Amino acid sequence: MSMGNSKLYKGSLNTIILKLLDERGKMYGYEITQKVKELTKGELNITEGALYPALHKLEAEGLLDVEIAKVDNRLRKYYKLTEAGEKETVNRLQELEEFIRSMQNLVNPNWSIS
Amino acid sequence: MPRLSDSEIQELYAFTRKHNVVYFDLQTELVDHLANSIEEQMFLDSQISFNEALNKEYKKFGVFGFLDVVEKKRKAMSLRYWKVVLGFMKTYFKPPKILLVFSFIFALTMIFKAINIEHRYNVYFSLLLIISFGVLTFRFISDKKYNKETLNNSKQWLLKEQIYSFCNYVHIINLIPIMLNLTFVSDLIAAKLMFEELFFAILITTLMMLSYIIIFVVPQKAEKLLEETYPEYKLITKN
């Protein structure tokens, strides 16, 4: 894994989290770390130390809501999208798609002689 | 999948405390994370011990361990705190309160205008200092109250601590007289370049409203805010 690669992913960590929660409803911290690693095929070496701050920031911004459930002999904190979070997810995914499209044009320009 | 015992969960709580996580909600989240990882590691490798698995997972948090998580949590919580304060502040800018606010600003401006220009700067400065000292005094009282409460209750909540220590408001308010002491500000006032009476009337009124909200209104609503912020708060404090 190159350093540059990891930087590209890092910028989109929030978007990845929002998208995951959008698909799966509610998730807890450990589940999210595992899923993010799986999705990015280990390319994005997000440390656990980066994931929780990202979650807490999204929560403070009002994009995520939390729920507590007793699982086995311990408490588990679940995250889910708020209404504002759902809207923001749509926006960020659109932005990301546009970004990907312009990057594709940059990397692989469509030469045409008119 | 192997399951950790109650005493092992308590050990994990002790582990987070040992690594500078004093807030219960953060402890709980990290304990669940560590427990999940340890259980999974034990499932994949039946030879691995509890402590080995714990250290392996803790290393993934990087060289600073939980410090970074705690520090960033504090920042995120300050953001929430200020959102609450601004929410209360907004109520002053709706009728009928807004009339009171505007009349107060107008009255202050008139009083400042009536004061001889040579003494005006001292008046502004003294008023700001009085507000500053007032906030500091209340902070002292509030801190004492908070410490007494947390002494009886082992669980600490970050938002509660911020509510009772007025978050970073004390730092902000202490900076204002220092900033105004800069000569260029006094030069500006002396040069009559600004509409300075109105500026100070607005500044002082705003600070008075902010201080009132932070010292009296928010702590009064503390329990409700804590219940809204921490879904486990009720669960824990009722038991």
Side-chain angles (χ1 to χ4, degrees):
Chain A
M1 182 194 69
S2 70
M3 196 53 206
N5 236 342
S6 123
K7 266 187 191 158
L8 281 180
Y9 273 119
K10 226 167 223 166
S12 38
L13 177 59
N14 286 345
T15 313
I16 296 172
I17 293 171
L18 291 172
K19 168 89 174 134
L20 266 178
L21 290 170
D22 188 43
E23 279 170 3
R24 313 186 118 223
K26 59 176 192 181
M27 291 173 90
Y28 54 97
Y30 187 72
E31 195 184 5
I32 300 174
T33 47
Q34 297 313 102
K35 200 75 201 162
V36 170
K37 279 178 187 170
E38 192 187 309
L39 274 175
T40 53
K41 299 185 183 72
E43 286 270 337
L44 169 61
N45 195 9
I46 59 147
T47 58
E48 282 61 12
L51 179 91
Y52 285 100
L55 284 171
H56 298 153
K57 189 152 182 268
L58 290 170
E59 186 193 345
E61 286 168 352
L63 301 178
L64 302 185
D65 206 0
V66 290
E67 248 174 49
I68 287 284
K70 201 165 165 41
V71 178
D72 298 334
N73 49 2
R74 55 185 186 253
L75 292 173
R76 182 162 291 167
K77 190 172 169 187
Y78 284 97
Y79 292 90
K80 61 177 187 207
L81 293 179
T82 59
E83 240 173 77
E86 282 170 20
K87 278 182 202 150
E88 185 65 19
T89 309
V90 176
N91 287 342
R92 294 214 187 167
L93 285 176
Q94 262 170 8
E95 268 172 33
L96 196 62
E97 266 171 41
E98 270 162 41
F99 174 74
I100 292 167
R101 221 173 297 133
S102 45
M103 278 298 126
Q104 259 169 353
N105 283 336
L106 187 79
V107 175
N108 199 3
N110 207 351
W111 296 108
S112 66
I113 303 158
S114 52
Chain B
M1 190 81 100
R3 193 184 291 172
L4 296 186
S5 67
D6 289 358
S7 67
E8 281 169 325
I9 295 295
Q10 288 317 310
E11 241 180 86
L12 291 178
Y13 269 105
F15 182 84
T16 58
R17 275 195 295 273
K18 207 178 93 192
H19 290 88
N20 303 309
V21 185
V22 292
Y23 308 110
F24 183 72
D25 64 309
L26 212 49
Q27 285 174 356
T28 300
E29 188 165 40
L30 292 169
V31 164
D32 184 47
H33 178 98
L34 295 171
N36 281 319
S37 167
I38 293 167
E39 286 173 350
E40 201 175 287
Q41 290 182 65
M42 284 176 160
F43 175 69
L44 296 171
D45 172 11
S46 57
Q47 297 299 311
I48 199 164
S49 75
F50 172 81
N51 280 324
E52 275 172 335
L54 170 58
N55 286 327
K56 221 168 145 189
E57 185 60 26
Y58 182 60
K59 275 205 182 106
K60 290 190 193 162
F61 280 85
V63 275
F64 298 111
F66 297 146
L67 272 182
D68 200 38
V69 179
V70 176
E71 214 28 66
K72 293 208 169 119
K73 176 83 190 181
R74 190 167 281 139
K75 265 191 201 154
M77 198 56 91
S78 304
L79 180 73
R80 273 185 92 138
Y81 175 85
W82 281 103
K83 268 189 187 170
V84 171
V85 172
L86 287 181
F88 284 117
M89 197 73 179
K90 272 185 197 159
T91 63
Y92 286 94
F93 291 94
K94 279 178 194 149
K97 278 185 189 163
I98 190 162
L99 287 173
L100 204 75
V101 174
F102 278 147
S103 333
F104 192 79
I105 292 174
F106 180 74
L108 262 187
T109 314
M110 287 301 123
I111 293 169
F112 292 154
K113 264 192 193 303
I115 296 167
N116 190 319
I117 194 150
E118 282 157 37
H119 304 302
R120 247 184 234 163
Y121 187 73
N122 292 334
V123 171
Y124 301 145
F125 203 70
S126 315
L127 282 173
L128 289 168
L129 271 183
I130 290 168
I131 295 174
S132 245
F133 273 119
V135 172
L136 274 178
T137 312
F138 279 107
R139 157 83 194 261
F140 183 72
I141 297 167
S142 185
D143 265 355
K144 273 199 149 171
K145 198 179 151 200
Y146 175 76
N147 288 340
K148 217 169 136 189
E149 249 182 67
T150 42
L151 210 71
N152 299 328
N153 190 340
S154 60
K155 293 188 174 55
Q156 289 185 43
W157 307 86
L158 176 55
L159 182 62
K160 197 172 189 173
E161 185 189 283
Q162 289 186 336
I163 289 173
Y164 285 101
S165 65
F166 309 156
C167 203
N168 42 12
Y169 184 55
V170 172
H171 306 302
I172 297 169
I173 205 153
N174 281 338
L175 276 179
I176 291 171
I178 295 166
M179 271 163 22
L180 292 175
N181 204 11
L182 296 174
T183 39
F184 83 88
V185 181
S186 39
D187 286 349
L188 272 181
I189 294 167
K192 264 264 163 215
L193 286 173
M194 300 195 290
F195 210 76
E196 123 272 336
E197 304 95 335
L198 183 64
F199 170 78
F200 278 96
I202 292 173
L203 179 70
I204 286 164
T205 312
T206 311
L207 287 177
M208 281 170 68
M209 287 192 291
L210 264 181
S211 306
Y212 176 73
I213 291 167
I214 286 169
I215 296 170
F216 301 106
V217 181
V218 179
Q220 243 173 39
K221 306 259 170 170
E223 290 299 306
K224 197 175 152 260
L225 289 168
L226 288 165
E227 278 173 26
E228 278 170 14
T229 310
Y230 303 114
E232 69 270 43
Y233 186 75
K234 236 177 169 171
L235 213 77
I236 301 291
T237 46
K238 288 261 159 80
N239 290 333

